[in-house]
Amino acid sequence: MIIRFDNIDKTIWLKKIVQIVDDAKNYSKGKTIVLDFAQSIQKENLLPIHIVTYACLIHYLKFVRRCEVTQGQSNKDVANFIYDELGLKYYYKGTNHIESTDTSILNLWRVIREEADLYTKRVEEYFKNNYFRNKDLSPVSISMVEAFYNISDHAEAGENAFSLIMYNTDRKELKVAISDWGKGIVGTVREYDNSIKSDKEALERAIQDDFTISSTTHNKGKGLSNILSCSDVVRIFSGNALLVKNEDQRKFYELDFYYPGTLIYFDKNLNVLEDIDYLEQFNW
């Protein structure tokens, strides 16, 4: 069976992913799936949101539905970029992270609890070493650690959770996507408070200041609100709900499809980063 991706519009892409998941519920064990890309897709236009959701899909087909998944070669540039340059083929053999040779990409990282702090420190080191020496990168680090802990503490996603960062050197803009296919934010909130009647209501509740389900030492009720405050544009998909934050405005939507977990996708303009203050040294 060949499944071909032919449109990278974000909404169309996510609907395609979700449709494949729904169809796969009827697949028998061992079914051969060829994931392919139309030649109209350019690898330069693939963003973190495409890569992490694609990674989650492959993990789901291989390890949940027990299908035989291979990569089609209709578009060799895209296939080579995803499987060889980003090293996606290694992530289903127990690998959590492989460095990219492209300095504008902090490559796929499988989200597991033991590496949450390691990953966020690596983010800061990466950008300080490559682009922003003497700049305060704490807003980036805060956003990443909160997103990681949100997944590792609550999602119950097993190993089906991935993140990826891309950096546009011309615009000095960071693009980050983190996806898990576990219970998701809305599933966790609705499980905690069964009076909540919709995913949209659950997502609205989840971002309230100091809201917490008090399940872990990391969960202090600031996680999602920190992500929203530290980023310029944020989109959070979970279940049938979507939150879009742009500058100071937050809008909630009911989706006509169901995202199986949580997808956090945010942009950060690093032009506005502040310089690090160094205390003047005195000889006494």
Side-chain angles (χ1 to χ4, degrees):
M1 179 179 183
I2 299 175
I3 299 173
R4 181 168 287 110
F5 290 83
D6 57 11
N7 195 317
I8 59 172
D9 173 88
K10 297 181 187 67
T11 300
I12 294 174
W13 178 276
L14 291 180
K15 286 186 175 182
K16 177 84 170 182
I17 293 280
V18 167
Q19 185 60 57
I20 296 170
V21 171
D22 288 342
D23 292 343
K25 295 174 182 177
N26 298 316
Y27 294 168
S28 58
K29 180 180 178 181
K31 184 177 180 67
T32 298
I33 307 294
V34 179
L35 297 177
D36 208 0
F37 294 93
Q39 291 190 6
S40 58
I41 294 180
Q42 304 295 314
K43 72 174 187 178
E44 294 81 8
N45 295 328
L46 291 173
L47 298 172
I49 189 173
H50 301 113
I51 305 300
V52 297
T53 52
Y54 191 68
C56 284
L57 174 65
I58 296 175
H59 186 99
Y60 173 78
L61 292 174
K62 284 180 68 68
F63 298 109
V64 178
R65 302 314 308 169
R66 301 293 179 180
C67 296
E68 297 293 331
V69 183
T70 60
Q71 178 62 55
Q73 295 295 313
S74 294
N75 187 329
K76 290 186 178 181
D77 282 347
V78 171
N80 291 339
F81 172 65
I82 292 177
Y83 267 72
D84 294 322
E85 291 181 42
L86 297 184
L88 186 61
K89 60 187 177 185
Y90 299 109
Y91 284 79
Y92 308 102
K93 301 177 182 178
T95 298
N96 293 331
H97 177 69
I98 295 174
E99 294 287 349
S100 171
T101 57
D102 185 343
T103 58
S104 69
I105 298 174
L106 183 55
N107 207 5
L108 274 171
W109 204 304
R110 191 189 302 277
V111 181
I112 59 174
R113 179 176 304 202
E114 293 80 7
E115 295 186 1
D117 285 326
L118 171 65
Y119 180 78
T120 52
K121 290 176 182 176
R122 177 72 181 89
V123 171
E124 273 200 76
E125 291 172 359
Y126 173 78
F127 284 100
K128 282 183 179 179
N129 292 337
N130 287 285
Y131 301 109
F132 286 91
R133 298 180 186 274
N134 302 325
K135 290 290 185 178
D136 180 10
L137 287 162
S138 59
V140 178
S141 180
I142 289 171
S143 298
M144 295 305 304
V145 75
E146 296 293 359
F148 258 63
Y149 278 133
N150 180 73
I151 291 175
S152 61
D153 287 344
H154 311 307
E156 298 180 15
E159 294 188 342
N160 198 5
F162 295 90
S163 78
L164 187 138
I165 296 175
M166 288 183 176
Y167 179 63
N168 186 310
T169 55
D170 294 329
R171 299 174 60 183
K172 293 185 172 55
E173 183 179 58
L174 197 67
K175 290 186 178 295
V176 181
I178 304 173
S179 175
D180 79 84
W181 283 15
K183 292 196 304 184
I185 292 172
V186 297
T188 302
V189 172
R190 295 185 70 174
E191 187 178 89
Y192 173 74
D193 184 353
N194 57 21
S195 69
I196 295 175
K197 302 303 181 185
S198 71
D199 289 350
K200 179 172 173 284
E201 182 184 349
L203 191 54
E204 290 175 343
R205 181 78 178 277
I207 70 161
Q208 291 177 359
D209 289 342
D210 298 319
F211 173 75
T212 175
I213 63 173
S214 302
S215 59
T216 70
T217 56
H218 302 128
N219 187 12
K220 302 299 184 183
K222 295 291 187 181
L224 292 177
S225 61
N226 278 341
I227 294 172
L228 294 171
S229 63
C230 290
S231 306
D232 301 317
V233 180
V234 183
R235 307 159 195 84
I236 301 176
F237 296 81
S238 189
N240 291 118
L242 165 64
L243 163 62
V244 178
K245 179 256 185 181
N246 194 341
E247 295 181 351
D248 295 328
Q249 293 193 352
R250 301 176 182 182
K251 294 185 178 180
F252 294 87
Y253 302 90
E254 290 184 353
L255 298 171
D256 59 357
F257 62 90
Y258 183 89
Y259 192 79
T262 298
L263 169 64
I264 301 174
Y265 179 50
F266 61 89
D267 303 338
K268 177 68 179 177
N269 186 331
L270 301 189
N271 275 306
V272 298
L273 290 177
E274 296 182 357
D275 293 331
I276 295 175
D277 290 328
Y278 292 98
L279 293 176
E280 187 175 356
Q281 295 182 353
F282 293 93
N283 292 321
W284 298 96

